Amino acid sequence: MGDVLLALSIPVLVFGGGIYAACDCWWRRRHPAPPSPYTHRAARLAEQEMLLLAEEIVDEAHAALGPLYEAPATPRPGGPPAGLKPEPSQAPQPSRSSRSGATPGRGPSRPAAARKR
């Protein structure tokens, strides 16, 4: 008789565990827990860390590529480099810029005109 009770107790335990899990799921859906302040703090810390990493990447890129964007030592509006004489076949052409409102240098540029659809 002891073996029969032991054999029947296993399905009863499995069935009882299923009922408990279903009731627990139902209860948690009806009564959600309030958000944890630690979760918000962790999100803020992760955001700050990501911002610092992005700033570091931009600083490294600026340090590596900055010399490419520096202004030339002597301004030359369409002429040859200093110390070189233009050949007759390479006479300076007048520059025709389609972007007459472009801002020279590193200052902010004008906003683009709004497109009509």
Side-chain angles (χ1 to χ4, degrees), residues 24-44:
D24 186 48
C25 182
W26 175 83
W27 177 261
R28 289 187 186 273
R29 284 188 182 185
R30 300 297 188 272
H31 304 89
S36 172
Y38 298 109
T39 306
H40 294 294
R41 183 166 184 223
R44 283 193 304 269

Side-chain angles (χ1 to χ4, degrees), residues 3-95:
D3 292 337
V4 173
L5 289 176
L6 183 62
L8 292 177
S9 67
I10 294 172
V12 169
L13 288 173
V14 170
F15 184 73
I19 295 290
Y20 175 80
C23 291
D24 186 48
C25 182
W26 175 83
W27 177 261
R28 289 187 186 273
R29 284 188 182 185
R30 300 297 188 272
H31 304 89
S36 172
Y38 298 109
T39 306
H40 294 294
R41 183 166 184 223
R44 283 193 304 269
L45 289 174
E47 180 181 351
Q48 288 175 355
E49 183 180 342
M50 184 173 53
L51 183 62
L52 290 174
L53 180 64
E55 287 177 355
E56 184 179 315
I57 290 171
V58 169
D59 289 342
E60 288 176 6
H62 181 69
L65 301 175
L68 295 175
Y69 295 106
E70 289 180 359
T74 56
R76 46 191 167 119
L84 294 178
K85 295 181 182 177
E87 294 182 19
S89 64
Q90 295 181 351
Q93 300 290 328
S95 62

